[in-house]
Amino acid sequence: MTMTGFRFDMKTYKKHPLSFLFMLLVWIAAALTAAVFLAVVGYVLIKGIPQLKPSLFAWNYTTDNVSMMPAIITTVEMVAISLLIAGPLGIFCSVYLTEYAKRGNKIVKAVRLTAETLQGIPSIVYGLFGMLCFVTSLKWGYSLLAGCFTVSIMILPLIMRSTEEALKSVPDSYREGSYGLGAGKLRTVFRIVIPSAGNGILAGIILAIGRIIGETAALMYTAGTVAQLPENVFMSGRTLSIHMYQLSREGLHTDDAAATAVILLITVFALNGLAEYIAKKLDKNKL
Amino acid sequence: MPENKISVNGLDLYYSEFHALKNVNIDIAPNEITAFIGPSGCGKSTLLKSLNRMNDLVEGCRITGAVTLDGVDIYKDMEITYLRKNVGMVFQKPNPFPMSIYDNIAYGPRTHGIRRKSDLDDIVEESLKKASIWNEVSDRLKRSALGLSGGQQQRLCIARALAVKPEVILMDEPTSALDPISTMKIEELCCEIKDSYTIVIVTHNMQQATRISDKTAFFLHGEIVEFDETEKLFSTPSDKRTEDYITGRFG
């Protein structure tokens, strides 16, 4: 805002004191929001960056050197396996709901209701379910796999919801064009509809990744908290978030927890950046 | 080979309770342009869509009567993919797929099992040339089709329809969303290709019907009021309602 513009505003605000008040409120709200965000990020960075040292990225975790490398690798594995389970399931389920199921179908209503309800449940409930189902009943024990299945169920509604929205936004004229050329339903859905909805589906998956990385409660009771790199999926392992939780809980390694927070923050930033980059790239292909 | 490309016999069509087409009978001759005219909601697009069963996609749509293509009943004795391969469609709004120009044209042939790159290349070039858009896009086949202008997109859609080598092309008000110059180009294109195809075009624009069509059918309230040589229908209509419509008394 230029100075002259501001002066002009001041004049009008003198005439209408209420609008001035509102403007002030809006400004304060914006400033507070920005301040909170900056404070959190700033605090994490200031506290954490000096604590970063090469030894934190050593291959092995020992009680002397609480390396976060095993946790980083476990996190990546956790994300990959969970997406492998929930991605296809969620996407195909939404494809069925939007493309194949008849409108007003009872199963569709039931699935939608379930998905919406699941979305609002606190993650600790998933953790409890995962522990009773995968860890105890299926006798997998505290394991990477039990954790993966638990977070898969957790992110399923997220992926379904965003995929459904994306599929719905594909114009019907694309479908008509494809049918008009003699293509069947399967080809139309897989060659035209799903690629056109790619961006929206991707956005949902990125959100899901964020959710997995940030998850602690559901994983504590399913994947366990072993700090070493699990040798196979039936062994326990900890993700970065849990690693950080454990470090700060023990009270001995608060500095290392701060360093972990920095890495977590960077991961999240990088993921968002990646998502934006891919989205742009897909858009460029379209134009 | 029967004299008529498409015959419609006693066709009734309902959208749930709404009786959209009432006992329609019409014979469409090969290698001619047949125009459907009439006010909005008169059933002309509905009839067009029932010629390649696009109405199947509409929920609650029921049909009685028969439509034949070269003497074969398309609702009883024909595979829907075979039908739609032979009876192509161009829509009101240009609807290129969000992919490259090349892939748009190759989509149809690929659907019908053509995989060889050299074959596809030939088909793409030939179709784009037939739709007189080759000169404008030959240097950017790999670019997205959505970057083209509306008129170019519509000609691309015509090229896409031609690429599966249909015998009949249905056009549902193909120029209603386009500017006059693009419209002219598409009209010229229709006249150029009509020797090798049978074209049925729905249009709101009566001048367009007189400019390009050989025969014209006038629709009102789901019925065909009059169907005749275009020249005769517009100069000496035999039905009072046709006369009222073409002289602009209603519609």
Side-chain angles (χ1 to χ4, degrees), chain A residues 173-174 178-179 181-182 187 286, chain B residues 81 84 95 107 111-112 144:
Chain A
S173 65
Y174 290 176
S178 175
Y179 290 134
L181 289 166
R187 191 171 164 79
K286 280 184 184 176
Chain B
T81 47
R84 290 189 183 146
N95 60 343
Y107 181 79
T111 301
H112 298 289
S144 169

Side-chain angles (χ1 to χ4, degrees), chain A residues 172-183, chain B residues 54 89 91 95 97 107 160:
Chain A
D172 271 338
S173 65
Y174 290 176
R175 296 181 180 90
E176 280 178 351
S178 175
Y179 290 134
L181 289 166
Chain B
M54 289 305 277
M89 186 143 194
F91 298 85
N95 60 343
F97 301 132
Y107 181 79
R160 188 174 69 187

Side-chain angles (χ1 to χ4, degrees), chain A residues 170-247:
Chain A
V170 175
D172 271 338
S173 65
Y174 290 176
R175 296 181 180 90
E176 280 178 351
S178 175
Y179 290 134
L181 289 166
K185 184 120 204 168
L186 195 71
R187 191 171 164 79
T188 303
V189 168
F190 279 87
R191 296 283 159 173
I192 303 291
V193 179
I194 294 182
S196 309
N199 255 345
I201 297 175
L202 191 78
I205 288 177
I206 301 282
L207 270 178
I209 294 178
R211 187 109 199 245
I212 300 170
I213 292 180
E215 189 50 51
T216 48
L219 288 176
M220 202 119 49
Y221 298 109
T222 51
T225 55
V226 170
Q228 306 294 348
L229 193 62
E231 279 165 35
N232 61 48
V233 290
F234 289 105
M235 288 174 76
S236 168
R238 56 162 73 157
T239 62
L240 266 181
S241 298
I242 294 193
H243 180 68
M244 190 179 147
Y245 170 76
Q246 292 290 341
L247 289 183

Side-chain angles (χ1 to χ4, degrees), chain B residues 69-84:
Chain B
L69 173 70
D70 293 329
V72 182
D73 191 320
I74 65 166
Y75 281 91
K76 294 200 182 89
D77 306 320
M78 199 180 282
E79 279 284 324
I80 198 157
T81 47
Y82 176 83
L83 169 70
R84 290 189 183 146

Side-chain angles (χ1 to χ4, degrees), chain B:
Chain B
M1 186 176 141
E3 200 184 318
N4 295 312
K5 194 73 195 163
I6 296 178
S7 291
V8 179
N9 293 308
L11 186 76
D12 279 272
L13 186 146
Y14 304 82
Y15 290 127
S16 301
E17 296 305 308
F18 178 63
H19 199 168
L21 290 175
K22 295 162 193 162
N23 189 27
V24 169
N25 294 284
I26 189 170
D27 292 320
I28 290 160
N31 304 341
E32 280 190 352
I33 299 180
T34 306
F36 292 175
I37 61 166
S40 302
C42 65
K44 53 194 192 309
S45 287
T46 301
L47 178 61
L48 190 80
K49 282 181 184 155
S50 52
L51 298 184
N52 76 341
R53 298 186 58 178
M54 289 305 277
N55 274 335
D56 289 15
L57 304 175
V58 182
E59 251 173 80
C61 174
R62 276 185 304 124
I63 280 182
T64 62
V67 181
T68 59
L69 173 70
D70 293 329
V72 182
D73 191 320
I74 65 166
Y75 281 91
K76 294 200 182 89
D77 306 320
M78 199 180 282
E79 279 284 324
I80 198 157
T81 47
Y82 176 83
L83 169 70
R84 290 189 183 146
K85 184 194 167 300
N86 283 294
V87 183
M89 186 143 194
V90 176
F91 298 85
Q92 183 168 3
K93 230 179 114 226
N95 60 343
F97 301 132
M99 44 174 94
S100 74
I101 293 169
Y102 184 97
D103 287 336
N104 259 282
I105 307 293
Y107 181 79
R110 279 177 179 147
T111 301
H112 298 289
I114 297 173
R115 290 268 174 269
R116 272 198 20 216
K117 179 93 172 62
S118 57
D119 292 349
L120 287 172
D121 288 348
D122 290 345
I123 291 173
V124 168
E125 181 171 346
E126 189 191 319
S127 312
L128 288 169
K129 275 182 177 158
K130 269 191 200 155
S132 43
I133 189 178
W134 173 254
N135 294 335
E136 291 156 67
V137 301
S138 60
D139 57 340
R140 47 169 168 163
L141 292 177
K142 293 290 170 200
R143 297 263 286 280
S144 169
L146 301 187
L148 299 173
S149 74
Q152 289 174 323
Q153 286 188 3
Q154 193 61 302
R155 275 179 287 148
L156 180 80
C157 290
I158 294 176
R160 188 174 69 187
L162 295 178
V164 293
K165 304 202 163 49
E167 293 163 5
V168 182
I169 299 170
L170 310 174
M171 297 187 174
D172 191 358
E173 301 186 29
T175 60
S176 63
L178 304 180
D179 60 277
I181 291 173
S182 304
T183 301
M184 196 182 73
K185 280 186 183 155
I186 285 179
E187 288 178 3
E188 279 169 3
L189 165 61
C190 289
C191 296
E192 273 164 32
I193 62 174
K194 78 169 187 181
D195 292 338
S196 10
Y197 302 93
T198 304
I199 298 175
V200 185
I201 181 168
V202 165
T203 177
H204 252 118
N205 180 333
M206 280 181 275
Q207 281 74 37
Q208 184 167 63
T210 58
R211 280 195 298 263
I212 63 172
S213 70
D214 299 289
K215 294 208 179 81
T216 299
F218 171 59
F219 286 71
L220 194 62
H221 305 313
E223 290 171 90
I224 295 183
V225 173
E226 192 166 349
F227 176 50
D228 216 324
E229 302 284 336
T230 300
E231 221 166 290
K232 182 167 174 305
L233 187 128
F234 280 98
S235 56
T236 51
S238 53
D239 195 291
K240 182 76 174 64
R241 288 169 293 175
T242 314
E243 193 184 329
D244 286 350
Y245 182 70
I246 62 176
T247 52
R249 227 163 279 180
F250 75 95

